[in-house]
Amino acid sequence: MHRGIIHAFFILFSLVFIIPMLIVISISFSNEQDIVRDGYRLFPENFEWTAYQIVFANPEQILNAYVVTTIQAVLGTLLSVLIMSLCAYALSRQNFKWRKPITLFIFFTMLFGGGLIPTYILITQYLHLGNTIWVYILPSLANAFYIIIFRTFFQGLPHDLVESAKMDGAGELRIYFTIMLPLSKPVLASLAFMTLVNKWNDWFTALVYVRDNKLYTLQYLLQRILKESEFIKQMSRDMPENINLGSFDLPTETVRFAMAIVAAGPVMVIFPWFQKYFARGLTIGAVKG
């Protein structure tokens, strides 16, 4: 009896997350006029591909944006996890004499930032990363909060393993790659996935630092498509009545939801591979020490 109630509760609780996603998919395949007239529905009244035809009107540009986003997200995630875990490993060692001042410096960056204008000047005028693929990767290699989670996790691992490896003649890098990393799969997978999602959803970097349309990320390109559709639709409304622009009555609501599916699809596919590590990795890294 009690088990049935628990199962029913979690089924209903799961539907709270599943139904909105089904509604998003339904709207993306719906007719714009049906959405305006009847509102959102779980199943489309009239099945249409119009929103996706607008999104993929220039398939080469969309494909190029997918490639740019994938490269910067995957490469950026790998480098970020490597840099942050290496930094955290050093900070977790009690015999590292600069451990406390460096930890304080890293924590300080969580409280205060340099601001957008100084950051823009640094990245474009001094580092010359503007309009390059590296502007997506290098400035965001380290996250102070993630470094602290890594460090806390490493501090929770048995110290005897490190001492035994040292007695066998292993150096710090060998200890890191052969002992620490294999034992850190939960926290590595958790933070890698969160970093990947942040980089995949990044559109602000392209807005500020990129002018070459071949380097646009998927999120920024989709946002531009939506803004252009809204602009054309607004122009058609403001035109005098004697000018017929009926062909420019583009859908915007269905396009918005179609773009959500196009942008979120790859992340939704890979999420199950990381899900099993989430609770263990983040709980251990955040609570111990």
Side-chain angles (χ1 to χ4, degrees):
M1 179 65 180
H2 294 291
R3 180 170 296 182
I5 295 175
I6 294 175
H7 288 172
F9 170 78
F10 280 106
I11 290 173
L12 293 175
F13 190 70
S14 300
L15 291 177
V16 173
F17 299 94
I18 295 174
I19 290 178
M21 189 63 203
L22 295 178
I23 293 177
V24 171
I25 297 174
S26 172
I27 296 171
S28 68
F29 288 106
S30 298
N31 180 275
E32 181 83 2
Q33 299 305 319
D34 294 341
I35 299 299
V36 174
R37 184 180 64 253
D38 302 326
Y40 299 156
R41 303 167 63 97
L42 186 59
F43 300 101
E45 183 176 349
N46 296 297
F47 190 88
E48 287 190 4
W49 295 86
T50 306
Y52 289 95
Q53 289 174 350
I54 294 174
V55 173
F56 291 99
N58 190 343
E60 292 183 2
Q61 194 174 26
I62 291 290
L63 180 60
N64 182 74
Y66 258 116
V67 172
V68 171
T69 304
T70 303
I71 292 175
Q72 67 91 7
V74 174
L75 182 59
T77 299
L78 293 176
L79 291 177
S80 293
V81 170
L82 177 63
I83 295 297
M84 291 188 295
S85 58
L86 278 170
C87 177
Y89 171 67
L91 297 178
S92 68
R93 300 302 307 276
Q94 297 293 329
N95 58 349
F96 180 43
K97 65 177 182 179
W98 299 104
R99 179 172 59 92
K100 290 185 178 180
I102 293 178
T103 301
L104 180 63
F105 176 78
I106 292 174
F107 178 74
F108 183 83
T109 63
M110 296 176 59
L111 305 178
F112 303 97
L116 178 59
I117 295 177
T119 302
Y120 180 83
I121 294 174
L122 173 65
I123 291 176
T124 58
Q125 303 299 319
Y126 291 92
L127 300 179
H128 303 288
L129 296 178
N131 258 347
T132 66
I133 189 69
W134 296 106
V135 74
Y136 297 114
I137 300 173
L138 296 182
S140 57
L141 274 180
N143 182 298
F145 180 64
Y146 292 173
I147 291 176
I148 293 176
I149 292 179
F150 268 124
R151 185 207 63 171
T152 308
F153 185 90
F154 289 150
Q155 287 177 339
L157 295 177
H159 185 68
D160 295 339
L161 293 175
V162 177
E163 295 300 324
S164 299
K166 280 195 167 185
M167 292 178 61
D168 292 335
E172 296 292 352
L173 285 178
R174 186 173 181 181
I175 294 173
Y176 166 79
F177 282 108
T178 60
I179 297 178
M180 291 299 182
L181 286 188
L183 295 175
S184 305
K185 289 181 180 179
V187 70
L188 283 171
S190 300
L191 298 185
F193 181 74
M194 289 194 294
T195 302
L196 179 66
V197 170
N198 290 335
K199 289 185 175 295
W200 184 270
N201 292 329
D202 181 23
W203 59 271
F204 185 74
T205 302
L207 173 66
V208 176
Y209 301 108
V210 177
R211 297 294 176 265
D212 186 358
N213 56 11
K214 293 182 179 179
L215 292 176
Y216 286 166
T217 57
L218 179 65
Q219 306 290 347
Y220 180 64
L221 178 62
L222 294 178
Q223 185 189 56
R224 283 178 61 96
I225 293 174
L226 178 62
K227 294 297 182 182
E228 290 170 1
S229 300
E230 292 177 345
F231 176 72
I232 294 174
K233 191 171 185 178
Q234 186 62 39
M235 282 187 60
S236 66
R237 291 174 179 173
D238 297 338
M239 282 292 181
E241 295 182 358
N242 60 336
I243 299 179
N244 183 16
L245 289 178
S247 60
F248 289 95
D249 190 18
L250 299 175
T252 55
E253 196 67 20
T254 55
V255 170
R256 191 189 311 273
F257 286 87
M259 291 190 304
I261 297 300
V262 172
V267 177
M268 293 174 59
V269 171
I270 67 174
F271 174 74
W273 299 93
F274 292 87
Q275 184 180 11
K276 62 181 180 180
Y277 295 110
F278 258 52
R280 182 184 171 195
L282 294 183
T283 302
I284 294 176
V287 175
K288 285 189 176 181

